[in-house]
Amino acid sequence: MPKTLITFQNFKMSQSNKVLLENINISIHQFDRIVLVGQNGCGKSSLLKLLKNKEECDAGSIWITPNLKIDYLEQDPPEPSINNLLEFLSKDNQHPNLSKIKEIIEELNLKEINLKNKLSGGEIRKIYIAKLIVSESELLLLDEPTNHIDLPTIYWLEKKLLSLNKTLIIVSHDQEFLRKIATKIFWIHQAQIFKREGLYDNFQNWTNQIIEVEKIKSHKLKQKIKSEKKWAIEGISARRKRNMGRLRDLEKLSKNYESTKAIVKKPLNIILNKTNESSQNIIETFDLSFSYDVENENLNIFSDLNLKIRRNDRIGIIGANGSGKSTLVKILQGICSPKTGKIKFGENVNIKYFDQNKENINLNKTPWSTLARNGDHVDFMGNKIHVLSYLKKFLFDEKKSLQSNSTLSGGEKVRLSLAELFINKHNFLILDEPTNDLDFDTLDLLKVVIKNYDGTVLIISHDRFFLDNTVEKLLVFENNNRILKHEGNFSDYYKKFGLEKLITVNNNGKNKISNKKIITKKGINKKKMSFKDSYYLEMLPLKIEKLEKELKEYETILNDRDLFKHDRKTFDKATAEITNIKKIISESENKWLELQILNDEINNP
C-alpha cells in the first residue's frame, strides 16, 4: 500500500469568522491524484495554501510526513522577476536536470517570451507550470492550472502530469481535464469532505445521491423536532425536572438540524431577452488584417478575414495563446483598429464585453454597492427588483452580498462581473474566458443563461465541455495566420482535425528576430571554461550526493523521539551537523548551477 503523506484528524479551518471545514478525518497517500471540488468560497484554495505553508489549523491536527517537499501553483501567480529563465526554473531544486528544463522550455515555447516586457496571464502561467513540472517536490498542489492557457498546452499538461508519477491535489473547473487526471475526488460540501475513490466520471450522480440521503435525514429530523415542540407546548407542566432535560435535548436537536439540514438548490432561471431588435447582420468584415511592429519587423496576426456574424449566432473562438483571439474581439468592438480592411456594423447592435481580467471589480466596494450604487434596487429586464433578489440569481447570499469585494474568491469575482454585465442593456454578448475560476454550479448557471439568451453570443474559451454546451460554430485560429470558420461545436472540430493546426509555429517575423540574436551572440562569444571551473562542474554533483547521504544518516538519528531526553550529547551533535551539511549543500548547489549556466551559455549560445 502507498505510504501516507498527510493525515487530517478532527481538522477545522475557518476564515473571516466562517467555518470552512470541520471534523475532517482523511488521509492523502503517495501517488494519489486528487481533485478538490466544491462551490466558490468553500475553502479549496485556502486548504492548498495551508498545506503549502504547513500552517496550524484552527482545531484538530495535520500530520505531514517529515521532510515532505511540497510545490504549489497558485490561482493567480504574480508576475515573476526573471533575468535568466533557466536559472529561475532550476531554483529550489537540489539537482537541476538542465536537459529536462531545456526540453520543457522548448515544448512550452518559452524561448519566444521576451522577459523584458510585461508578461501576459498565459505566459506567466506557462512559466510557473514549467517550474512545477521540473520540481523535485513529491507533492504538487495545482489551483486552477488550466486558467489562461490554450488547448494545446492543456493537452500537453495532461500528458505531463500523468507521466510524473507524483502525488497531485488539483482544484479545477475543467471537467475534461478532471476526467483524464483524477484517481480520487474530495468534494467539499457543507464544511465536510466527502471522498470518492476512482475516476471523475459519474461525479454528478454521486453527489446527487449524497444530497438525496441528506434530504431524507433532514426531513426525519425536522419531523422529530416538530413532534417534540408539540409535546413541549402540551406536556411541560408535569414532572418539571425531567421535562427540562427533554427541552434541552430539543434545543440540541434544533441546532443539529440547522447545521446539517440539506440545502435544496432551486433551479436558477435567468432569461436575458435582447433589449432591442438588431438587424439580421450583426457584424461583417471585409479583408480584415492585423499585425504588430516588432523591432522594425512586421509580425502578422491574421489577414484577409471575411466574416459575417448573424443575429442569434452562438460562436466560440479557440486558438493558441498569443494567436490574436482577444485582439480580434477588440477590433470587432472598435477598441482596436485593424491594419487593413473594414468593418460594417448592423443597425441597433448593442455590444457588452466581459473581460477575462476582472478589472471592472472595485475591491473597496461590496457586491451590493457594486450593483446598486445609490440604493437597494436594480433595473433588470425593465423591472426594478431588490439587489439581494438579483444577487441570489448569481449564488450570493445576504451575508456575502455585504462583504468587501476584496474577500471574494476568484470565482465569486467572476460571478459578480457577470451579474454586473447582465444588468446592462445589450443584444450582443462578447465573453473572453468567462469560465476561469468558476465552480460547477456557476458554470451550469452560465450555460443556462447563454442557452436562454435571445441575442448573439461570441465566446473565447479553452473549456472544451463548456464550448460543447454553448456554441454552434467556431472561429479557429490556426497556424500560418489563418482563421478557419467551422460549423459545429468543439468536439466536432476535434474529431476532424485534432489540435495539430492550433499549435503555434514560428512565423517569418519571429524567425528573423531569433536568427539575428543567434548571429550576434556567436559573433561576440569568446568565453571559455577554465580547467578549475570544469573540474568543479564535474565533481560538485558527487560531493553533493555524498553530503546528502550523510544528511540522511543524521536525520535518521533524530527520528528517535526520545533521543533528546536520553542522549543530549548525540542530539546536539546531530543537530549541529545537519545545519552545517545543509549550508555546504546549498553553497555547492549554487556554485554548480552558476557553472552549469555559464557552460550552457558558452556551448549553446
Side-chain angles (χ1 to χ4, degrees):
M1 181 178 175
K3 70 176 181 179
T4 302
L5 300 182
I6 298 174
T7 298
F8 297 84
Q9 290 186 325
N10 301 318
F11 170 80
K12 179 180 179 181
M13 182 176 71
S14 304
Q15 191 178 72
S16 302
N17 298 320
K18 176 187 175 184
V19 176
L20 298 174
L21 293 168
E22 192 168 25
N23 296 325
I24 304 302
N25 293 281
I26 55 172
S27 293
I28 295 164
H29 298 94
Q30 191 177 31
F31 309 129
D32 280 347
R33 295 200 301 269
I34 298 166
V35 296
L36 192 60
V37 296
Q39 288 188 337
N40 291 139
C42 70
K44 302 185 295 293
S45 296
S46 298
L47 183 59
L48 294 189
K49 289 174 185 174
L50 183 140
L51 288 175
K52 167 58 182 170
N53 300 320
K54 299 181 181 177
E55 294 176 359
E56 295 291 327
C57 49
D58 296 327
S61 65
I62 310 175
W63 177 85
I64 300 177
T65 189
N67 304 315
L68 179 66
K69 289 184 179 180
I70 301 174
D71 212 344
Y72 172 45
L73 174 64
E74 57 186 291
Q75 190 176 112
D76 293 305
E79 183 169 353
S81 178
I82 303 174
N83 294 319
N84 184 299
L85 187 58
L86 191 66
E87 184 176 2
F88 178 79
L89 298 180
S90 303
K91 190 180 175 184
D92 304 323
N93 286 346
Q94 289 188 349
H95 303 298
N97 186 331
L98 270 277
S99 61
K100 180 182 177 183
I101 294 172
K102 287 177 192 174
E103 185 180 297
I104 299 296
I105 290 173
E106 191 72 35
E107 290 175 356
L108 287 174
N109 292 317
L110 294 177
K111 271 188 176 181
E112 303 300 329
I113 292 176
N114 188 339
L115 299 173
K116 293 179 181 178
N117 294 341
K118 182 175 175 60
L119 301 176
S120 69
E123 289 171 337
I124 293 170
R125 177 77 50 162
K126 280 185 178 182
I127 288 171
Y128 281 102
I129 284 174
K131 188 166 176 58
L132 192 84
I133 294 296
V134 302
S135 167
E136 295 173 347
S137 297
E138 191 174 353
L139 172 61
L140 303 181
L141 311 174
L142 299 89
D143 197 348
E144 296 291 1
T146 63
N147 278 3
H148 305 296
I149 61 173
D150 53 35
L151 286 166
T153 308
I154 291 172
Y155 275 83
W156 176 89
L157 179 60
E158 288 169 350
K159 290 179 182 177
K160 281 293 178 187
L161 291 177
L162 291 172
S163 69
L164 284 179
N165 205 26
K166 291 188 177 184
T167 308
L168 310 173
I169 304 179
I170 301 170
V171 174
S172 178
H173 69 274
D174 188 328
Q175 297 189 57
E176 292 300 317
F177 180 77
L178 297 181
R179 283 190 178 96
K180 292 182 180 178
I181 299 296
T183 58
K184 285 184 182 178
I185 294 100
F186 284 1
W187 177 41
I188 299 180
H189 173 63
Q190 293 188 237
Q192 297 296 304
I193 293 182
F194 294 84
K195 187 175 79 169
R196 180 174 183 261
E197 299 279 347
L199 304 178
Y200 177 80
D201 293 334
N202 296 319
F203 166 78
Q204 203 64 53
N205 291 336
W206 172 64
T207 58
N208 289 340
Q209 288 170 8
I210 291 173
I211 290 171
E212 286 302 316
V213 171
E214 285 180 345
K215 285 181 187 177
I216 294 168
K217 287 181 180 178
S218 186
H219 178 72
K220 287 181 178 178
L221 186 56
K222 189 176 182 179
Q223 290 301 110
K224 185 174 182 180
I225 290 169
K226 188 176 179 181
S227 173
E228 289 294 295
K229 281 182 177 177
K230 183 180 179 182
W231 165 85
I233 294 168
E234 296 174 356
I236 192 75
S237 57
R239 304 188 65 177
R240 183 163 295 275
K241 274 189 179 182
R242 182 174 168 186
N243 290 340
M244 289 306 293
R246 191 167 175 180
L247 279 174
R248 284 193 294 271
D249 289 340
L250 172 59
E251 186 180 355
K252 287 179 184 177
L253 277 176
S254 299
K255 285 181 179 178
N256 187 44
Y257 173 73
E258 288 301 320
S259 63
T260 62
K261 67 180 178 181
I263 298 173
V264 180
K265 295 176 185 174
K266 295 179 180 178
L268 296 159
N269 187 22
I270 299 179
I271 299 176
L272 301 176
N273 289 323
K274 55 180 176 284
T275 55
N276 58 320
E277 191 70 61
S278 65
S279 58
Q280 184 63 35
N281 290 336
I282 302 293
I283 291 176
E284 194 169 359
T285 71
F286 302 89
D287 298 325
L288 209 65
S289 69
F290 186 83
S291 59
Y292 291 108
D293 293 325
V294 181
E295 297 182 14
N296 298 319
E297 298 284 349
N298 195 40
L299 189 59
N300 194 31
I301 302 301
F302 56 84
S303 57
D304 301 324
L305 176 63
N306 293 290
L307 174 67
K308 188 178 285 187
I309 299 176
R310 297 181 180 275
R311 188 171 64 206
N312 296 329
D313 272 349
R314 266 114 172 107
I315 303 172
I317 303 180
I318 63 173
N321 287 136
S323 57
K325 301 183 299 297
S326 295
T327 300
L328 175 62
V329 297
K330 287 176 181 176
I331 289 172
L332 295 180
Q333 296 172 75
I335 298 172
C336 298
S337 300
K339 289 290 182 182
T340 61
K342 65 177 185 176
I343 305 173
K344 182 181 177 182
F345 292 92
E347 293 182 1
N348 299 321
V349 175
N350 192 341
I351 301 173
K352 282 294 174 283
Y353 175 52
F354 174 85
D355 181 7
Q356 61 174 306
N357 296 319
K358 306 183 281 286
E359 291 177 354
N360 61 312
I361 298 297
N362 186 334
L363 299 181
N364 297 318
K365 290 186 175 183
T366 65
W368 180 312
S369 62
T370 297
L371 300 182
R373 294 173 178 83
N374 300 306
D376 54 9
H377 284 76
V378 295
D379 291 317
F380 180 62
M381 300 291 294
N383 299 312
K384 279 192 174 293
I385 64 172
H386 198 278
V387 64
L388 284 181
S389 297
Y390 182 68
L391 279 167
K392 281 178 181 176
K393 294 176 183 292
F394 293 87
L395 311 178
F396 286 94
D397 58 23
E398 183 175 356
K399 184 178 178 183
K400 185 67 74 172
S401 300
L402 296 170
Q403 288 181 0
S404 169
N405 290 340
S406 62
T407 66
L408 300 180
S409 69
E412 287 166 339
K413 286 175 184 173
V414 176
R415 274 198 255 139
L416 182 57
S417 294
L418 291 170
E420 189 174 28
L421 175 74
F422 293 146
I423 244 177
N424 295 305
K425 294 181 179 180
H426 45 68
N427 51 32
F428 183 16
L429 287 177
I430 299 179
L431 309 175
D432 191 351
E433 292 289 358
T435 65
N436 283 349
D437 304 320
L438 291 184
D439 57 25
F440 298 143
D441 290 336
T442 316
L443 280 170
D444 288 340
L445 165 65
L446 190 55
K447 282 185 286 185
V448 169
V449 167
I450 292 170
K451 183 179 179 181
N452 294 335
Y453 181 53
D454 191 12
T456 309
V457 181
L458 192 61
I459 304 171
I460 299 175
S461 182
H462 303 303
D463 190 319
R464 297 152 286 185
F465 184 80
F466 183 76
L467 286 171
D468 277 347
N469 285 274
T470 53
V471 304
E472 298 159 354
K473 301 178 182 179
L474 289 178
L475 292 177
V476 185
F477 279 68
E478 297 186 333
N479 288 327
N480 305 316
N481 313 115
R482 179 171 178 257
I483 298 178
L484 173 73
K485 286 163 276 188
H486 172 78
E487 293 288 335
N489 60 22
F490 172 77
S491 290
D492 295 331
Y493 175 84
Y494 185 70
K495 285 174 187 175
K496 289 181 183 177
F497 306 109
L499 293 178
E500 291 300 316
K501 296 183 178 182
L502 271 66
I503 298 171
T504 303
V505 295
N506 292 339
N507 56 49
N508 291 334
K510 284 186 181 177
N511 278 338
K512 288 177 182 175
I513 294 167
S514 299
N515 289 338
K516 283 180 182 178
K517 289 182 178 178
I518 290 170
I519 291 165
T520 304
K521 282 189 176 181
K522 283 183 177 177
I524 63 170
N525 181 33
K526 300 291 182 183
K527 289 187 286 185
K528 289 184 179 180
M529 290 277 284
S530 68
F531 175 79
K532 184 179 178 182
D533 285 344
S534 298
Y535 173 78
Y536 279 134
L537 184 63
E538 184 179 349
M539 298 306 296
L540 279 172
L542 300 175
K543 178 183 176 182
I544 292 168
E545 186 178 354
K546 183 179 177 183
L547 286 168
E548 285 180 338
K549 285 181 182 178
E550 291 180 26
L551 183 63
K552 283 183 180 178
E553 289 173 4
Y554 282 113
E555 285 176 341
T556 301
I557 293 171
L558 285 185
N559 283 339
D560 182 357
R561 296 183 179 179
D562 297 322
L563 181 64
F564 181 83
K565 188 176 10 177
H566 297 308
D567 192 347
R568 176 65 183 272
K569 188 176 178 181
T570 301
F571 177 87
D572 289 342
K573 182 184 177 184
T575 304
E577 287 294 339
I578 286 172
T579 303
N580 185 47
I581 291 171
K582 282 184 175 180
K583 182 182 176 183
I584 297 171
I585 288 175
S586 178
E587 290 171 351
S588 300
E589 287 171 346
N590 290 336
K591 180 64 177 174
W592 178 83
L593 182 58
E594 180 185 325
L595 293 172
Q596 184 62 54
I597 290 171
L598 175 62
N599 183 59
D600 183 60
E601 288 175 351
I602 292 170
N603 295 314
N604 300 285

